[in-house]
């Protein structure tokens, strides 16, 4: 199926994404059931796209483990359909990259490495789509506002100057790293931008972090922006201790659309099924320059949290000034 480039970011979704069964796990099908009236898009099942990023022995391992419903690690479960569902999640994200869409998929991807699963992620959807764009000569900015570092994505492009990885996340938290001095290596030095926020950071700190690091992303001058859109930084999420509101995600969408021309997104985390649709819809409304659908009083961070954050952001900006005119 071919969708023409469009002005409006639209959701790319299929009910198949509910077929990855994880039981009583925070990353479960209820996350997508919480969205109502989603249009269905036909998604290709082409598993050759996985090899844009993943090693063939790992791809075979996922296929094998899923056929037996075996977990890939303590956090990352599979069921009979999981391999095919994960293949379609990657393809939906690839489709989003060609149509400025928002791939509303599961399983998520940003913790997955080239050769191993991690943190509920089987294949790295955003990395696959980014590599697909790099192969067409594009410079890709990956902006990851999920509350966790996308350690898989970061690792995959750590040596690349074709992809900038920009992540705002809680630290300390899973996966245990993502500090300001992880800036990339070799040709990729200066192309990894980690903005670690202290636990209890609210909307005020998030917006400050976004606005102070946006100039680095703009200096990179990407042809296309891939968004790892995770919503577990919301104040009522179960897995993290950040305090963003639905308003923060609306502003994020708006800032992206005001500063970049070609943006697509894929769903990562977000585990409060009441809040997830509100966060995602607000983000989409922001991207599409429409009115915000949901409102919530802004959250403010206390003095100690601000102090810790300011030390970190100052260090990051000092480092990044060596690489970028900001
Ligand atoms: Zn997350």
């Amino acid at each position: 199926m071919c969708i023409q480039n469009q002005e409006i970011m639209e959701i790319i979704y299929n009910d198949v994404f509910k077929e990855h069964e994880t039981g009583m796990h925070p990353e479960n099908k209820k996350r997508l059931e919480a969205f109502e009236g989603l249009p269905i898009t036909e998604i290709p099942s082409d598993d050759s796209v996985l090899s844009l990023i993943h090693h063939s022995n790992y791809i075979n391992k996922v296929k094998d483990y899923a056929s037996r419903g075996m977990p890939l690690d303590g956090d990352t479960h599979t069921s009979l359909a999981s391999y095919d569902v994960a293949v379609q999640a990657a393809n939906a994200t690839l489709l989003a990259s060609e149509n400025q869409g928002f791939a509303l998929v599961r399983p998520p991807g940003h913790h997955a490495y080239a050769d191993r699963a991690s943190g509920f992620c089987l294949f790295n959807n955003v990395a696959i789509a980014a590599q697909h764009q790099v192969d067409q000569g594009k410079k890709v900015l990956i902006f990851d506002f999920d509350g966790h570092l996308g350690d898989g994505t970061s690792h995959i492009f750590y040596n690349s100057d074709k992809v900038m990885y920009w992540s705002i996340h809680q630290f300390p938290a899973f996966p245990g790293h993502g500090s300001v001095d992880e800036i990339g290596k070799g040709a990729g030095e200066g192309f990894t931008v980690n903005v670690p926020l202290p636990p209890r950071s609210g909307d005020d700190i998030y917006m400050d972090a976004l606005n102070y690091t946006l100039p680095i992303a703009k200096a990179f001058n990407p042809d296309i922006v891939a968004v790892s859109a995770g919503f577990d930084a919301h104040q009522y999420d179960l897995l993290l201790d950040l305090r963003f509101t639905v308003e923060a995600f609306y502003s994020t969408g708006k800032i992206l659309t005001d500063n970049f021309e070609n943006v697509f997104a894929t769903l990562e985390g977000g585990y409060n099924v009441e809040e997830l649709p509100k966060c995602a819809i607000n983000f989409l409304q922001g991207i599409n320059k429409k009115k915000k659908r949901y409102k919530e009083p802004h959250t403010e961070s206390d003095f100690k949290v601000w102090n810790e954050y300011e030390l970190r952001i100052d260090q990051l900006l000092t480092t990044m000034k060596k690489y970028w005119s900001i």
Side-chain angles (χ1 to χ4, degrees), residues 9 102 141-147 166-169 197 202-211 213-214 217-218 225-234 242-266 278-294 298:
M9 180 181 276
F102 183 1
L141 168 68
I142 299 177
F143 176 50
D144 187 335
F145 64 78
D146 185 279
W166 172 29
S167 175
I168 302 181
H169 50 264
L197 306 185
D203 286 343
D204 50 358
I205 285 184
Y206 173 63
M207 295 314 298
D208 191 87
L210 187 52
N211 286 319
T213 47
L214 178 67
K218 289 191 79 169
V225 180
V227 184
S228 265
F231 300 95
D232 44 18
H234 187 274
L242 292 171
R243 297 172 51 243
F244 302 3
T245 65
V246 294
E247 308 266 343
F249 299 114
Y250 177 79
S251 302
T252 303
K254 199 146 186 319
I255 287 170
L256 289 172
T257 209
D258 286 346
N259 287 279
F260 301 102
E261 285 195 346
N262 192 359
V263 183
F264 72 96
T266 188
K278 296 181 198 167
C279 296
I281 298 297
N282 256 18
F283 167 70
L284 203 60
Q285 293 288 103
I287 282 260
N288 289 332
K289 300 184 181 181
K290 291 185 178 172
K291 274 192 188 163
K292 76 180 77 154
R293 188 86 57 85
Y294 301 99
H298 285 279

Side-chain angles (χ1 to χ4, degrees), residues 2 14 20 27 38 49 57 65 98 123 156-157 168 173 221 225 251 278 281 298 300 303 318:
C2 180
N14 192 291
H20 168 57
E27 200 297 290
L38 290 171
V49 303
N57 49 359
Y65 276 44
E98 288 170 347
F123 299 121
I156 287 162
F157 297 113
I168 302 181
N221 194 24
V225 180
S251 302
K278 296 181 198 167
I281 298 297
H298 285 279
E300 288 177 6
F303 179 71
T318 304

Side-chain angles (χ1 to χ4, degrees), residues 294-308:
Y294 301 99
K295 294 183 180 173
E296 205 176 359
H298 285 279
T299 49
E300 288 177 6
S301 315
D302 73 28
F303 179 71
K304 269 189 179 169
V305 179
W306 263 108
N307 268 358
E308 175 62 29

